[in-house]
Structure formats: C-alpha cells, structure tokens
Amino acid sequence: MTDNGTSEPVQPPQPSANLPALRRELHAQLDDQASSPTLDVRVLLRLLARNHASFSRSVDASAGASRVLRALVAACGDRPVNVDALADAMERVAAPKPSALVHTLRALSDELAAADLMDHADLAELRRLTQQLDVPDLHRVAEACLPPLSADLPPHCTSAWTTALHLLRRNVLPGSLPPLLAFIEYVAAVQPSPAAASPLKQWTEAKATQWGAAQDLLSARAEASRFAGSTPPSDSRIMIALFPDGLRSDLYTLRTWHHDPETTNSPSMRGEDAQVDFRQIAQAAYDSIKRWVRRLTRRESVCVEFWLPLTLFNQPVWEWCTPGGNEEGLPHLNVIVRSLERLQLPVLHPPWRNRWEHLMDAKAHHPTFLHEHRSGAYSGASDLVVLSTPPDATTGRTELLAALRNGAPVILWHREDCTSAAFRQSVRQLIEEGPLKDLPSRVSALRRESLHATDEKEEAARGITLLWDDPDRLLPTMPTLVAPGWEEREPAVGMPMLTARGEAK
C-alpha cells in the first residue's frame, strides 16, 4: 500500500544513507557500555524476556558483557520493534540516566521505521530538506505543533531531521494533521526568508494532498504563522482574572492560573476561585502572586497578567503586586493588563489577530497619540495606541473602546495624566529603545527605577499602564462564569451553562 492508498507490489525498504553511520556509532559505544559498573546483562536479558522480546532467546547470558550486547544488537536485525525493546531494557538497566547507547538505539529505530512508513523518494527528499537545517529553539517549535499533553521529545531529537523521523511515528489524532507535516510547517514558518521556507512548504503540500489532509494543512499553516510572530513564552506566567458578579457592582470572582515554562508541554495550573469585593482585590491578588511564585521553577522574571473588565482598567495593578513598594523577595515582575471583554467577544478576534501580526512584522513602530486627533480624524486604524485621558474618564473610555473594536493589541495610558510632555516622551523612548516584543519588560524596568524618584519624568513613569494583548497567549480556559452559589443563570450565546461547581451542563 502506498502513501495514497493504492496497491502495488511490495518492495523491500530502501536502506537509509544514515544507517551505516548509525551502526558504526552504535558498535563504537558497545564496549563503553559493557564496561559500565551499572550494567548487569542477566538483568537485561530478564527484562527482554519479560517483555516478550523473542530475539533475545538465542543470546548466551554466560558470555562477557561486550559479546552479549553485540549479540543482542545483531539479533535485532532491521526490525524497529526489536531495537525499541532493547532500548527500553537498556534504559531501565542504565537508570537513572540513559546512556549514549540508548539514544543511538532510539535514532536507529526511527531510521528503520521511516523506511517502512514512507516512500524512499519522499524520505530522501525530506532528508535533503532537513538534515542541514538549523532550527532555533527546536523543542519549542516541536511542542507548538503537537496537541496539548503530548509526550516530550526524546533526548535523541537534536535536529530537524531526527525530530522529523521521530514524529513520523507519532499517531494522528482524528481531525488533526499528521505530526510530521505539522512540524515541517512550523519549521518553515520560523525560517529567516520565504526562499528558505518555500521548499519545505512544497513538500508538505505534496504529502498533504497524498494523505487527504490539504484542508488541515491550511489550518496548521495559519497557526504556524501566528506562532512564528509571537513572543516565545520564556518567562513564568501568572494570570489573574477578575469576573464581575453581574448583580453587585462591587463584587468579583478572582480566578488564577500559573504556567512554568520549565514544565514543557504541560497545561497551566489553576488555583481556587475566590469571591472578593472591590476593597479586597489588592490583598487577594498579592496573596495569589506570592503563593504562585513559590511554586515556580524559573523566578528570574515573572509576567503577571491582569485580565480585567473595563470597569477596572485604570486600577493601580502595580500596587496590587507590591503594596507599599515592598516586594518581600519577589522576583522581577512584568505587569500588564489584558482585556477580558475582548477575549469573550469572538467578533473582535479577527481584527485583533490581524493587528498583532502587522505589529510583529513591522520594522518600525509609530504610536498613535490620540490627543493629536481631537478633530475626529482618527479612524481607529492603529496597532499601538496612546490614550489622551485615563480610561476611567468618559473620553478615555470612548477611545479605549474604539481601539479594542479596531483590534489594537497594544494600548498605553497614564493613570492620572496622559497629557504631560514627560509621559509622552517616556512612551516614545520605551518604544524606540529596542524590539517591541520586549516592551512589557522595558515598561516594568522603568516602573521599578521610578519607585523612589522625585523628578517629573520619573513620576510620570510610575503611572504608565500597558495593555499588551497577545492573541497567542490566552487564558487556559474560558467558560461562562456564574457567581458562586448560583446553580443556574442565563448563559451567554454560544457558551456552556455552568453549575456553581464549574461543571458544564
């Protein structure tokens, strides 16, 4: 059976050009492994027998360790299932740290399996395209193209080629693109030029057509494009969302998540919901941040996102994080505001994503200062907006709503006075000092530097608030919220109704 499902005479798998090199590397490692004090060949053979690895039955356990290992490798033949079984057993014997021999066995198994799973000409073309390809942050690229909770890449996946071979063996979920094709699409998206990406895309298009996955490929290509334009989530992330009660204007449900980038390909962890009134928000937020920071592996820099309704946009979020200016040993915090309303209104998402992609692609960034558009000339078509008044004033609220409707992903304002020359100059410097993707960290650094300042410029910096809405970094879940204790409430259109326990009905 060929890739497109037609029958033809069965042809023996063509040998990979890499197989001889892998076998030479494997045999060079056998003697080193045989001399390891942790290796007990009798235990190794018992493990193979327990796992029904029949190829090991003819091996004499009384021979020296080196001869036993060589006999086992020879007995594996060209069958990936045998090589996998040997690698599994070796990994257990060599625990807690797998040896280089185990990694070579895994790579050998992938090479052998690829010859069975893919046509020789297609495999040769894939090798030509990927073997010398440099992919920065390879594991992040691979994780992005895989479904949530997928197994981590094994250690032998150190290049685009070895990763592609491994993903060729991964199962395809219903309605999903084969992991290999998704990976090559994401690799193409992070290439430095269209010319470098074009051959990779041509290969995936040909394979997707053969495998009947052309439509899935288009969806994956769009996701890969957004991924390539987004900021790598290298910082730890704490998300604090405040949902209005709906009946009492001063009551909110505080919901928290945190994500540790050191825990690869894992979901964000969610905390317990808390019902707080307006006066309790600052203390509840601060307690949540302290609690989550203790659980994070990477603490050098932590991004704190406040997902707020419009009524809370101009609240002192920085003071919520560091009441009284006392950080009590907290790491550097990059504090930003996120829009809860925009997240909940899908009709606003297309212009939002388009504006974000345009913002990330632009070579230079020119903020739109709305105080310069008092005559009504402002059309709302801007990626980076600076309000003319704080958003708790009528004019500022109107400007903010217009910017959100038109998809502006980055909005800046001063909590007290957006008209001062010192504030506007600070904004220009922040934008021009470096890559825009680092704007949240620059705003946060300026805020820290200004804590004890007395001059006008640094006092202006203390009031800067940044709305930084990256559409590729959303809340982990977004169910309709009901006030705790209410079993039923009229659901939003298209959203599930929840019980008080958060269960979908």
Side-chain angles (χ1 to χ4, degrees):
M1 188 76 69
T2 62
D3 291 326
N4 61 5
T6 59
S7 299
E8 65 177 17
V10 177
Q11 299 293 330
Q14 297 292 327
S16 164
N18 285 5
L19 281 176
L22 276 173
R23 292 192 186 280
R24 286 194 297 271
E25 183 179 354
L26 186 63
H27 283 280
Q29 295 167 341
L30 287 174
D31 290 336
D32 288 339
Q33 185 64 63
S35 62
S36 170
T38 64
L39 178 66
D40 187 328
V41 293
R42 295 183 181 275
V43 172
L44 179 65
L45 290 171
R46 282 201 298 271
L47 283 172
L48 289 168
R50 187 182 305 161
N51 293 331
H52 307 287
S54 58
F55 69 91
S56 64
R57 294 173 185 168
S58 61
V59 176
D60 183 6
S62 64
S66 179
R67 293 183 62 184
V68 168
L69 289 180
R70 291 181 182 278
L72 285 172
V73 170
C76 286
D78 289 334
R79 297 193 63 198
V81 64
N82 290 346
V83 180
D84 283 332
L86 180 58
D88 290 342
M90 287 293 302
E91 194 166 37
R92 291 190 61 181
V93 170
K97 184 178 179 181
S99 64
L101 178 64
V102 171
H103 298 162
T104 306
L105 285 169
R106 300 286 188 202
L108 176 63
S109 177
D110 286 348
E111 290 270 358
L112 293 170
D116 290 332
L117 294 171
M118 185 174 282
D119 176 84
H120 175 61
D122 285 333
L123 194 59
E125 180 65 6
L126 177 63
R127 182 185 303 110
R128 185 187 69 79
L129 291 171
T130 61
Q131 199 154 28
Q132 303 302 321
L133 198 61
D134 180 28
V135 182
D137 211 353
L138 175 68
H139 278 229
R140 175 178 170 259
V141 173
E143 289 164 6
C145 75
L146 293 173
L149 300 178
S150 297
D152 293 342
L153 289 182
H156 74 274
C157 293
T158 57
S159 67
W161 167 244
T162 54
T163 303
L165 287 184
H166 171 74
L167 293 179
L168 177 59
R169 306 177 70 180
R170 292 263 182 124
N171 291 332
V172 183
L173 294 179
S176 298
L177 193 68
L180 169 64
L181 296 192
F183 173 67
I184 300 302
E185 274 297 318
Y186 275 70
V187 169
V190 299
Q191 291 307 295
S193 68
S198 180
L200 296 167
K201 291 184 175 181
Q202 290 174 9
W203 188 87
T204 57
E205 288 167 3
K207 294 307 298 177
T209 300
Q210 280 186 327
W211 292 345
Q215 191 60 45
D216 293 329
L217 179 68
L218 294 178
S219 299
R221 183 165 291 177
E223 291 294 331
S225 177
R226 286 192 287 270
F227 165 81
S230 65
T231 303
S234 59
D235 52 353
S236 299
R237 184 181 177 206
I238 297 174
M239 294 149 275
I240 300 175
L242 286 158
F243 299 87
D245 174 68
L247 294 179
R248 288 179 50 187
S249 60
D250 63 341
L251 194 64
Y252 297 86
T253 295
L254 184 144
R255 182 170 292 173
T256 57
W257 295 263
H258 87 280
H259 183 259
D260 188 344
E262 296 297 319
T263 310
T264 56
N265 215 16
S266 65
S268 299
M269 302 298 294
R270 178 174 156 182
E272 293 290 332
D273 290 357
Q275 194 175 48
V276 296
D277 66 31
F278 180 79
R279 294 166 298 178
Q280 299 170 324
I281 290 176
Q283 188 61 51
Y286 182 57
D287 291 343
S288 295
I289 293 169
K290 287 197 301 181
R291 180 168 59 253
W292 285 126
V293 163
R294 287 195 294 267
R295 302 177 63 173
L296 295 171
T297 303
R298 181 180 295 177
R299 302 186 185 183
E300 296 84 3
S301 177
V302 177
C303 179
V304 181
E305 301 176 4
F306 286 100
W307 292 78
L308 303 178
L310 291 174
T311 54
L312 296 179
F313 261 34
N314 204 41
Q315 291 303 308
V317 291
W318 269 102
E319 295 173 18
W320 293 354
C321 300
T322 56
N326 180 13
E327 296 193 13
E328 295 188 11
L330 291 178
H332 287 166
L333 303 177
N334 297 327
V335 180
I336 58 176
V337 171
R338 304 295 305 266
S339 172
L340 201 57
E341 271 87 357
R342 175 151 57 184
L343 180 65
Q344 293 174 311
L345 293 173
V347 70
L348 299 180
H349 291 190
W352 175 23
R353 287 193 175 277
N354 291 338
R355 288 285 175 202
W356 179 263
E357 291 175 9
H358 183 266
L359 191 72
M360 292 295 108
D361 290 341
K363 301 300 181 185
H365 303 285
H366 306 286
T368 298
F369 288 90
L370 295 189
H371 77 282
E372 300 173 354
H373 295 267
R374 306 310 298 167
S375 63
Y378 173 60
S379 66
S382 180
D383 305 326
L384 202 163
V385 173
V386 184
L387 303 182
S388 66
T389 65
D392 54 359
T394 301
T395 300
R397 177 73 59 86
T398 300
E399 293 174 347
L400 178 65
L401 288 171
L404 292 175
R405 280 195 301 269
N406 286 279
V410 179
I411 305 173
L412 286 143
W413 66 90
H414 192 282
R415 289 192 57 248
E416 298 173 358
D417 182 10
C418 298
T419 63
S420 73
F423 165 68
R424 295 197 294 269
Q425 181 61 24
S426 294
V427 169
R428 288 191 176 94
Q429 289 180 351
L430 285 166
I431 293 168
E432 295 169 359
E433 278 179 0
L436 193 70
K437 65 182 180 65
D438 298 327
L439 182 60
S441 60
R442 289 202 295 275
V443 170
S444 298
L446 182 64
R447 163 76 189 194
R448 286 192 296 270
E449 293 169 3
S450 67
L451 283 177
H452 306 291
T454 56
D455 61 59
E456 181 184 4
K457 179 180 177 181
E458 291 179 319
E459 284 182 357
R462 282 202 290 270
I464 292 178
T465 300
L466 171 67
L467 181 140
W468 180 263
D469 256 350
D470 181 346
D472 295 316
R473 296 186 72 174
L474 304 179
L475 286 177
T477 58
M478 198 60 235
T480 300
L481 186 80
V482 299
W486 287 72
E487 286 296 324
E488 294 186 0
R489 189 80 62 85
E490 183 70 21
V493 176
M495 300 293 282
M497 183 181 291
L498 301 183
T499 67
R501 293 178 296 279
E503 300 163 344
K505 296 181 67 176

